[in-house]
């Protein structure tokens, strides 16, 4: 099941199944959003409604975490580990790819962490925008560096 919301940084397409939220992609991002057939699935609708509400609260500055959402992104076991580590990143703070690699106990997997970060199907909620280069620079972001900078400013990171 899918829905689209408007945000201060552009439209976001959300998708969910009965298992949880599977995607929250910027509409301009060239990533296909797969979801279950558009049948009336009350569990998928519940996950979409919850995601819409928390994103609205986030953009209004009323929310700093998304722990109450049920997520069901598809990915390899390594990607899942990286995405879990990203979910633990505090609001308003940044980290580096190397620090994430150390957090998942694979310190030499910095590039693989970067690739998993780039394949994150639920940006903002799985806060890949909080990962920056070792030198403090804003590095790649699937939604574009302008959006990454906006999100970090929104969270008070300068």
């Amino acid at each position: 099941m899918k829905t689209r919301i408007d945000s201060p940084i552009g439209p976001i397409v959300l998708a969910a199944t009965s298992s949880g939220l599977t995607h929250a992609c910027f509409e301009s991002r060239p990533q296909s959003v797969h979801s279950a057939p558009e049948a009336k699935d009350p569990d998928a609708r519940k996950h979409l409604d919850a995601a819409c509400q928390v994103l609205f609260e986030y953009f209004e500055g009323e929310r700093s975490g998304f722990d109450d959402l049920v997520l069901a992104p598809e990915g390899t076991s390594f990607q899942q580990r990286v995405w879990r580590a990203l979910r633990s990143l505090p609001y308003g703070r940044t980290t580096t790819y190397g620090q994430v690699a150390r957090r998942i106990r694979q310190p030499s997997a910095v590039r693989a962490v970067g690739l998993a970060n780039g394949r994150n199907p639920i940006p903002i909620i799985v806060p890949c925008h909080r990962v920056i280069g070792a030198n403090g620079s804003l590095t790649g972001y699937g939604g574009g560096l302008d959006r990454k900078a906006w999100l970090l400013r929104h969270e008070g990171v300068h």
Side-chain angles (χ1 to χ4, degrees), residues 10 32 37 56 73 75 82 91 93 101 109 153:
S32 66
F56 174 78
V82 170
Y91 179 92
R93 297 219 178 117
R153 280 193 309 273

Side-chain angles (χ1 to χ4, degrees), residues 2-22:
K2 297 178 196 176
T3 194
R4 178 186 178 272
I5 62 169
D6 291 321
S7 81
I9 53 177
I12 299 173
V13 177
L14 302 166
T17 64
S18 59
S19 299
L21 188 69
T22 60

Side-chain angles (χ1 to χ4, degrees), residues 1-2 16-18 35-45 48:
M1 196 169 234
K2 297 178 196 176
T17 64
S18 59
S35 65
E38 296 296 322
K40 299 213 185 268
D41 181 339
D43 290 329
R45 172 57 49 203
L48 285 176

